[in-house]
Amino acid sequence: METHAQVVVIGGGVVGCSILYHLAKHGWSDVVLLERNELTSGSSWHAAGVIHTINSDPNIARLQGYTIKLYKELEDLTGQSCGIHRPGGIYLASTPERLDYLRQERAKARYMGLETDFISLEHARELNPLIDPTKYLGALFEPVDGHVDPSGVTHAYAKGARHYGAKVFRECPVIETRPRRDGGWDVVTPRGTLHAEIVVNAAGLWAREVGRLAGIDLPVQPMEHHYLITEAIPEIEAHGREVAVTVDYEGNAYTRQEHQGLLLGTYETNCVPWAVDGTPLDFGHELLQDDLSRVTERLETAFERMPAIGRAGIKKVVNGPFTFGPDGNPLIGPVPGLKNYWTAVGVMAGFCQGGGVGLCMAEWMIEGEPSVDVWGMDIARFGEFATRDWGRIKSAENYSRRFILTYPNETLPAGRRQKTTALYDRLAAKGAVMGVSHGLEHALWFAPSPAEAQETPTFRRSNAFPYVADEVRAVREAVGMIEIANYAKHQVKGPGAEAFLDRVLANRLPKVGRLTLTPMLTAKGKLYGDLTVARLDAETFWLFGSGAAQNMHRCWFERHLPQTGVIYNNTSDALHGLAIAGPLSRELLQRVTRGDVSPSGLRFRDIRHMVVGGVPAIVARVSFSGELGYEIYVAPQFQVALYEALSEAGADPALRVYGGRALMSMRLEKNWGVWTLDFRPDFTVAESGLDAYVAFDKPAEFIGREAALAERERGPSKRLVTLVVDTKDVDCVSDEPIFDGRECVGYVTSGGYGHTVGRSLAMGYVPTPLAADGTKLRVELLGEFYDAVVTAQPLYDPDGVRMRN
């Protein structure tokens, strides 16, 4: 066996083999895969092999589409059959709410260029003669859906990888992974030790065990999963062509044809996590003891909706484990804090997503960034809060809800209060309805009392609407207070801090005591951050940004960090705080500090150390509400004292605590985008409009400068715009298509209601010629088309006078 490899992939399932194939295909041939047993051991061999493109995340849907198209290419390259069947897929809705969901999915498909569309229930029955159309309200059809042979696909990836020079070693378990001083890894096996420059954990059922060899606990959990295969069904035999793959959401069942019978699978609500304490090392091509009592209710529903199944005999029952992540999506990419160690785990839909995961991993390693934004799969979306126990709880919740509708305004109950601030109970006592960001509880809005702190899950405006309006009004007319513990705070200091940040940030660095907004770019000029950088002294900088993306940005900083002269720390959990905003916020702040907070004493975009409410704080005069405001950062142990001081001093004027929903409403009224929605690596700096904050002429050669300059010269092909949408009881959320006449020209990235201006607002990307003020467009929302008009200037305080006063 080799003693060195550029990359060692651990795990010979469909995901590991796909990563190996894509690395080799893209030019890294010095790559090795180590498989403890035989290829497909674990979950791959017993998978149902269903392939589909529909996914709540459009980028994951695109990667699933890539995966499906790849199979024919693999067959042509290797001669290995992938067992491709493409009868199309039917998605059935039996409630009005599920029909709204399918309308959303059809809308997304429009701007992704997919042929997904509604068909009549009579047409659905022509494609699947087993369904009883009287049980349903609507059917969505995706023509590319189908199924493949799991073993054939996995071996085709491996054979293709070998074609490009990669090597596969079977029956070669990994015993140890030891970090080396040169940044690489010693991968120890019974057949010798291999020095790897990069290690990829793609170990599937054994992902947790392989992770522990490197000192990490991965929050993934194998789950038991049942499907059954029927005897021959006369209706299928008489059909004359292959039955379409079918998903019945309320019936909680998926089906595909298997010979002249049917494969029927379900995700039971009383699910069973498997091997909680660790996957047995001798497990391989075994199945688990079936327990049909757990799925009896689901089967009865399926028999009612597809009566022919109930008349058929059961030929085989399969209960096999496969690995779920906390939110149902994979965990891929570089592990924060662990040099040259990557994961591709929790890929439960491996035959839909495996090709896309392999492509992104190869691009990411070789080119420094994937071709699409993979935030929905990035392992960096989790942090220290994502322990093994928490992962088990959330993975089980996600499994049990696989076919249960989750609304855009809904927060799920499992694994809550994993991270809280010192104010959690106080805010809950005020009626806070909590959400979660990067594991941390934060207030979304406030009900009149704790007993009323429930939000109705819906696609339309919820019971929160009038209370959010009141919170916005309080900020606009007087003063409001919001907790900001969920903001990310990165500290960079040392004699080399200035030079380091000048390279990774695209704007000029601020002077001491000042702060500046700056984009952070990839080498290709794509957005990788939208940060506020503050300079407390000559060698100390703080960067404030998206709390959800804090580990993503941590990885970026650590990747570019010089060997000496700079100390970087993600200090998000070490610095909490409160923000106050509104025309009376200066008066409130002056009551709790001896410092000079007059317009000249604390100017817009000033930052300094102060004592506020008797505790040490860092105060920045800045506000995301568009009003005069201040962000006051303190250590967690001072959070209660700060809150009490502000609350007492704010009794007159009437200080109102507000939540994230009100803040999002106010920022929309200012045409301000947010990270993970309007700003993300899908977009370039010019497309986003953040090129206004790029110092192209600064002396430092910042990352992405050449790409950004080239785009500035040619002009961006699309731009981020704000739309005023003519709706009544519904607002855009994200991913709704934008039309110019009958042509789909873009999509919404975020939306909501502007309570001050009294209009429904949305932000999205459209072709540059359509980005002019006053351009009339349309937005498709829950199957209806609404008029929309581009507004180049914010509807609220367009000159920004209120926040600068």
Side-chain angles (χ1 to χ4, degrees):
M1 189 177 75
E2 273 72 7
T3 58
H4 175 275
Q6 196 167 4
V7 181
V8 168
V9 179
I10 303 173
V14 63
V15 175
C17 290
S18 172
I19 293 169
L20 191 76
Y21 165 78
H22 283 91
L23 284 169
K25 180 184 178 182
H26 283 70
W28 280 14
S29 59
D30 182 19
V31 290
V32 168
L33 183 143
L34 304 178
E35 163 54 42
R36 57 178 297 280
N37 195 335
E38 294 291 335
L39 299 183
T40 76
S41 295
S43 297
S44 294
W45 73 274
H46 61 72
V50 175
I51 54 175
H52 57 84
T53 57
I54 283 185
N55 191 286
S56 59
D57 185 320
N59 276 352
I60 296 179
R62 289 185 178 95
L63 294 175
Q64 290 177 182
Y66 165 82
T67 301
I68 293 171
K69 293 176 182 177
L70 179 62
Y71 290 137
K72 183 64 169 61
E73 177 184 322
L74 278 174
E75 286 188 335
D76 292 343
L77 174 69
T78 66
Q80 168 72 51
S81 172
C82 292
I84 304 168
H85 295 256
R86 299 272 289 277
I90 304 169
Y91 300 86
L92 296 165
S94 54
T95 67
E97 294 78 12
R98 181 59 72 174
L99 195 57
D100 278 344
Y101 166 78
L102 291 183
R103 290 176 179 132
Q104 283 189 319
E105 294 306 308
R106 189 270 305 271
K108 293 176 189 176
R110 292 190 195 278
Y111 68 75
M112 290 192 291
L114 302 176
E115 298 178 23
T116 309
D117 212 340
F118 282 100
I119 58 175
S120 69
L121 290 169
E122 291 73 19
H123 188 188
R125 185 164 189 175
E126 291 174 7
L127 297 171
N128 182 350
L130 306 185
I131 69 170
D132 177 358
T134 67
K135 304 295 184 184
Y136 303 101
L137 298 179
L140 192 67
F141 181 65
E142 173 53 79
V144 304
D145 289 10
H147 58 98
V148 292
D149 168 35
S151 179
V153 166
T154 306
H155 284 278
Y157 278 129
K159 193 171 182 180
R162 292 189 190 99
H163 169 81
Y164 289 115
K167 294 181 174 60
V168 175
F169 295 95
R170 297 172 296 170
E171 297 187 358
C172 189
V174 173
I175 300 170
E176 293 181 72
T177 52
R178 298 194 298 252
R180 295 167 56 102
R181 289 184 177 179
D182 62 6
W185 292 81
D186 284 331
V187 181
V188 182
T189 78
R191 295 161 66 173
T193 297
L194 204 160
H195 172 214
E197 295 176 27
I198 297 172
V199 167
V200 178
N201 179 349
L205 291 179
W206 294 270
R208 297 170 299 171
E209 285 69 34
V210 171
R212 286 179 206 136
L213 295 178
I216 57 173
D217 268 330
L218 294 170
V220 295
Q221 174 61 51
M223 304 294 297
E224 294 191 19
H225 179 66
H226 281 89
Y227 66 77
L228 58 86
I229 298 172
T230 72
E231 301 283 358
I233 297 176
E235 288 84 349
I236 292 179
E237 292 179 314
H239 188 51
R241 54 181 169 151
E242 187 169 0
V243 171
V245 173
T246 302
V247 174
D248 179 345
Y249 288 104
E250 281 68 45
N252 207 330
Y254 64 90
T255 65
R256 69 164 176 82
Q257 186 169 328
E258 178 75 7
H259 300 297
Q260 295 303 308
L262 203 70
L263 182 151
L264 184 152
T266 185
Y267 293 86
E268 64 268 29
T269 53
N270 56 334
C271 57
V272 177
W274 178 74
V276 170
D277 295 327
T279 303
L281 296 179
D282 59 352
F283 190 81
H285 281 86
E286 297 85 4
L287 291 173
L288 308 177
Q289 180 64 44
D290 62 79
D291 183 3
L292 289 182
S293 67
R294 299 211 308 265
V295 299
T296 299
E297 181 182 350
R298 301 298 183 194
L299 294 179
E300 290 173 351
T301 303
F303 298 163
E304 176 188 349
R305 295 172 179 231
M306 300 184 191
I309 303 176
R311 297 190 294 269
I314 297 177
K315 181 178 180 180
K316 184 179 182 180
V317 177
V318 172
N319 182 21
F322 67 114
T323 303
F324 251 71
D327 57 6
N329 283 343
L331 285 71
I332 74 171
V335 176
L338 209 56
K339 193 171 184 180
N340 293 325
Y341 191 96
W342 296 57
T343 64
V345 302
V347 191
M348 55 78 52
F351 294 93
C352 290
Q353 299 173 352
V357 167
L359 173 68
C360 288
M361 290 282 282
E363 291 174 334
W364 206 342
M365 289 184 206
I366 296 170
E367 301 174 21
E369 57 188 282
S371 55
V372 299
D373 176 25
V374 294
W375 172 246
M377 298 189 290
D378 194 337
I379 189 174
R381 70 189 188 276
F382 299 110
E384 292 181 348
F385 67 91
T387 63
R388 180 173 52 171
D389 291 338
W390 181 86
R392 172 180 55 80
I393 293 168
K394 293 299 290 184
S395 296
E397 177 187 56
N398 193 275
Y399 178 97
S400 67
R401 294 182 58 91
R402 184 70 179 166
F403 286 157
I404 295 176
L405 189 59
T406 300
Y407 294 88
N409 70 322
E410 187 174 9
T411 57
L412 301 183
R416 297 298 295 270
R417 296 192 294 180
Q418 181 78 345
K419 282 180 67 178
T420 61
T421 73
L423 297 182
Y424 179 86
D425 289 340
R426 293 170 184 253
L427 298 180
K430 283 184 169 289
V433 175
M434 294 288 187
V436 182
S437 177
H438 203 68
L440 181 66
E441 300 282 337
H442 63 98
L444 297 174
W445 59 278
F446 288 83
S449 70
E452 300 169 85
Q454 300 286 335
E455 184 167 4
T456 304
T458 179
F459 287 113
R460 291 168 170 78
R461 292 174 189 161
S462 77
N463 59 307
F465 189 82
Y467 303 114
V468 173
D470 287 343
E471 293 173 22
V472 170
R473 188 178 304 110
V475 176
R476 295 292 193 216
E477 296 178 358
V479 59
M481 178 170 65
I482 185 172
E483 194 171 32
I484 53 175
N486 61 332
Y487 290 6
K489 305 99 184 174
H490 307 271
Q491 187 190 62
V492 180
K493 61 182 181 179
E498 181 175 7
F500 166 66
L501 289 176
D502 225 7
R503 170 160 170 70
V504 297
L505 302 178
N507 204 351
R508 287 185 180 85
L509 299 180
K511 297 178 180 179
V512 173
R514 298 285 288 165
L515 49 81
T516 300
L517 179 68
T518 178
M520 186 161 63
L521 309 182
T522 71
K524 295 180 180 179
K526 297 290 186 73
L527 287 177
Y528 211 74
D530 162 38
L531 301 163
T532 299
V533 57
R535 190 171 195 163
L536 271 298
D537 60 46
E539 296 185 357
T540 304
F541 296 83
W542 291 89
L543 289 83
F544 305 98
S546 165
Q550 61 185 263
N551 268 344
M552 168 186 169
H553 291 148
R554 172 190 173 182
C555 280
W556 187 259
F557 292 133
E558 290 178 340
R559 173 180 167 185
H560 295 285
L561 208 62
Q563 294 293 322
T564 60
V566 183
I567 299 173
Y568 163 77
N569 283 295
N570 176 6
T571 55
S572 300
D573 290 337
L575 205 61
H576 288 177
L578 295 160
I580 56 174
L584 301 181
S585 59
R586 178 181 290 120
E587 177 184 340
L588 173 59
L589 180 59
Q590 190 65 79
R591 292 180 180 183
V592 293
T593 183
R594 297 178 186 275
D596 181 6
V597 298
S598 66
S600 59
L602 190 62
R603 300 167 299 165
F604 180 59
R605 294 196 294 110
D606 273 355
I607 186 168
R608 67 185 57 170
H609 289 283
M610 298 177 68
V611 174
V612 180
V615 299
I618 297 173
V619 179
R621 192 187 148 186
V622 67
S623 170
F624 198 50
S625 67
E627 298 292 337
L628 169 68
Y630 306 86
E631 292 176 358
I632 309 166
Y633 295 97
V634 296
Q637 65 268 27
F638 299 128
Q639 185 84 331
V640 168
L642 176 64
Y643 174 83
E644 290 182 341
L646 288 169
S647 297
E648 181 179 349
D652 177 25
L655 174 65
R656 179 72 175 264
V657 181
Y658 69 100
R661 295 273 177 80
L663 188 64
M664 290 300 100
S665 171
M666 290 185 284
R667 66 91 186 174
L668 279 171
E669 295 178 330
K670 294 292 294 178
N671 291 16
W672 289 342
V674 292
W675 189 256
T676 74
L677 294 173
D678 315 295
F679 304 146
R680 57 181 191 254
D682 280 330
F683 312 120
T684 67
V685 68
E687 290 169 349
S688 70
L690 289 178
D691 54 334
Y693 300 96
V694 173
F696 288 100
D697 59 346
K698 73 174 185 176
E701 186 73 19
F702 61 87
I703 297 170
R705 180 178 182 273
E706 292 305 315
L709 272 172
E711 183 182 39
R712 185 173 69 165
E713 290 182 7
R714 67 177 181 270
S717 60
K718 59 179 179 285
R719 287 191 180 275
L720 178 65
V721 298
T722 299
L723 300 170
V724 179
V725 188
D726 188 13
T727 67
K728 291 182 176 63
D729 67 339
V730 63
D731 301 299
C732 293
V733 178
S734 66
D735 301 321
E736 294 87 0
I738 301 170
F739 288 82
D740 178 23
R742 294 187 175 183
E743 181 186 2
C744 180
V745 294
Y747 60 97
V748 169
T749 49
S750 70
Y753 190 77
H755 288 279
T756 310
V757 300
R759 303 302 300 271
S760 185
L761 303 172
M763 300 188 76
Y765 285 81
V766 299
T768 298
L770 298 177
D773 186 58
T775 301
K776 294 180 179 179
L777 301 166
R778 292 192 302 162
V779 173
E780 183 183 3
L781 185 53
L782 298 180
E784 300 290 333
F785 287 87
Y786 296 90
D787 291 336
V789 61
V790 174
T791 175
Q793 293 295 315
L795 296 186
Y796 182 78
D797 188 26
D799 296 324
V801 173
R802 294 176 68 91
M803 65 181 176
R804 290 180 171 86
N805 277 345

